[in-house]
């Protein structure tokens, strides 16, 4: 009985050491992954990387990680031809297969989400337009508020405004609600619901061209498709999914 108790104690100690070694290894791997992401993406802040599943060392030997979650900030994207800050970027990677040199990997499935603030949406909007929160009822309908001076919007869209029209418009402002949608899995589209009628023929269409615009989110892997966009009080939150997503370090 005494020998059995000793064996049990030794087993518990060895098991604890294995768990400790496993946790140390996963912490080192998370730190290394965060360093690589920061370097490859040129980030100013260190991302957070969490590797799930147990034991980790067994996953490494099999070169497949069950779960890897990444959270980072300081990302920029090209939207509508302009550089836009993208905040709260999160990715959930599943069934991550690592190559023999541990320099690249492929996620069997990837779910990601991010947010663009209204301030950054305004930066990407046509010159003169400002994008803002339209309230909870409009947000539930997928709508944002777009405002701006009529003359400024037209000229910002490259439309020459004759002095006669400038005199008629004066300081008149446009205020409209635009519905947010997705196109082609990579583009966020804003389309105004109602616009004022202008006193000169042909300028109504020009005004719509100035207010309606697309945000082409460049830089996404070809295997990632945006499938949902939501309007919040902080900005637009969009999400995407992909299968067999290539990851390089």
């Amino acid at each position: 009985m005494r020998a059995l108790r000793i064996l049990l104690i030794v087993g518990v100690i060895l098991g604890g050491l294995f768990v400790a070694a496993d946790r140390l290894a996963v912490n080192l791997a998370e730190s290394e992954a965060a360093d690589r992401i920061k370097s490859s993406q040129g980030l100013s802040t260190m991302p957070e990387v969490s590797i799930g599943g147990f034991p980790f060392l067994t996953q490494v030997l099999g070169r497949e990680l069950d779960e890897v979650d990444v959270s980072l900030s300081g990302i920029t994207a090209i939207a509508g031809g302009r550089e836009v800050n993208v905040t709260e970027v999160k990715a959930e990677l599943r069934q991550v297969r690592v190559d023999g040199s541990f320099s690249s990997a492929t996620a069997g499935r990837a779910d990601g989400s991010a947010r663009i603030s209204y301030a950054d949406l305004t930066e990407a909007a046509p010159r003169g337009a400002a994008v803002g929160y339209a309230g909870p009822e409009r947000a539930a309908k997928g709508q944002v508020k777009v405002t701006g001076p009529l003359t400024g919007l037209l000229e910002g869209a490259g439309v020459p405004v004759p002095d006669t029209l400038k005199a008629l418009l004066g300081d008149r402002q446009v205020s409209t609600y635009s519905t947010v949608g997705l196109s082609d899995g990579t583009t966020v589209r804003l389309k105004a619901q109602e616009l004022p009628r202008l006193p000169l023929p042909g300028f109504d269409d020009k005004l719509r061209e100035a207010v309606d615009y697309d945000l082409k989110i460049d830089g996404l892997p070809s295997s990632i498709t945006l499938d949902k966009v939501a309007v919040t009080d902080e900005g637009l939150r969009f999400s995407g999914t992909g299968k067999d997503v290539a990851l390089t370090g």
Side-chain angles (χ1 to χ4, degrees), residues 128 147-151 153 169-176 196:
T147 59
L150 271 173
T151 301
L153 288 171
L169 296 178
D171 296 329
R172 189 176 176 184
Q173 299 282 311
V174 170
S175 181
T176 184

Side-chain angles (χ1 to χ4, degrees), residues 167-230:
L168 286 171
L169 296 178
D171 296 329
R172 189 176 176 184
Q173 299 282 311
V174 170
S175 181
T176 184
Y177 297 108
S178 293
T179 300
V180 181
L182 290 172
S183 175
D184 302 326
T186 58
T187 302
V188 179
R189 176 163 291 172
L190 277 71
K191 185 175 180 62
Q193 295 303 293
E194 294 182 6
L195 289 171
R197 302 289 295 179
L198 298 183
L200 287 180
F203 276 81
D204 294 326
D205 292 338
K206 297 296 183 182
L207 177 59
R208 178 163 290 282
E209 290 176 12
V211 176
D212 291 349
Y213 69 103
D214 293 347
L215 299 175
K216 172 76 173 179
I217 309 299
D218 294 328
L220 291 174
S222 59
S223 49
I224 290 284
T225 300
L226 297 181
D227 54 21
K228 184 178 180 181
V229 60

Side-chain angles (χ1 to χ4, degrees), residues 29-235:
E30 290 171 345
S31 178
E32 175 66 20
D35 283 335
R36 289 195 180 190
I37 293 172
K38 183 176 184 290
S39 176
S40 65
Q41 298 297 322
L43 303 179
S44 58
T45 58
M46 187 68 72
E48 296 180 7
V49 177
S50 175
I51 300 175
F54 181 83
F56 169 70
L57 292 174
T58 303
Q59 296 180 67
V60 172
L61 291 174
R63 293 179 183 168
E64 182 170 322
L65 306 178
D66 297 335
E67 305 173 4
V68 180
D69 294 335
V70 181
S71 177
L72 46 86
S73 59
I75 288 289
T76 59
I78 303 300
R82 299 174 177 86
E83 191 174 82
V84 181
N85 292 318
V86 182
T87 57
E88 296 183 355
V89 178
K90 296 182 179 180
E92 297 178 354
L93 311 175
R94 300 295 180 262
Q95 297 176 325
V96 180
R97 302 182 297 276
V98 185
D99 72 354
S101 63
F102 290 89
S103 60
S104 64
T106 300
R109 178 179 175 86
D111 296 289
S113 65
R115 178 174 62 83
I116 300 180
S117 70
Y118 288 115
D120 289 313
L121 284 170
T122 296
E123 287 292 323
R127 188 159 56 93
V131 184
Y133 183 54
E137 292 185 7
R138 292 284 182 177
K141 297 177 182 179
Q143 295 179 345
V144 297
K145 189 174 184 178
V146 179
T147 59
L150 271 173
T151 301
L153 288 171
L154 290 170
E155 291 181 334
V159 179
V161 181
D163 291 338
T164 52
L165 182 56
K166 286 183 180 180
L168 286 171
L169 296 178
D171 296 329
R172 189 176 176 184
Q173 299 282 311
V174 170
S175 181
T176 184
Y177 297 108
S178 293
T179 300
V180 181
L182 290 172
S183 175
D184 302 326
T186 58
T187 302
V188 179
R189 176 163 291 172
L190 277 71
K191 185 175 180 62
Q193 295 303 293
E194 294 182 6
L195 289 171
R197 302 289 295 179
L198 298 183
L200 287 180
F203 276 81
D204 294 326
D205 292 338
K206 297 296 183 182
L207 177 59
R208 178 163 290 282
E209 290 176 12
V211 176
D212 291 349
Y213 69 103
D214 293 347
L215 299 175
K216 172 76 173 179
I217 309 299
D218 294 328
L220 291 174
S222 59
S223 49
I224 290 284
T225 300
L226 297 181
D227 54 21
K228 184 178 180 181
V229 60
V231 178
T232 75
D233 59 348
E234 296 180 317

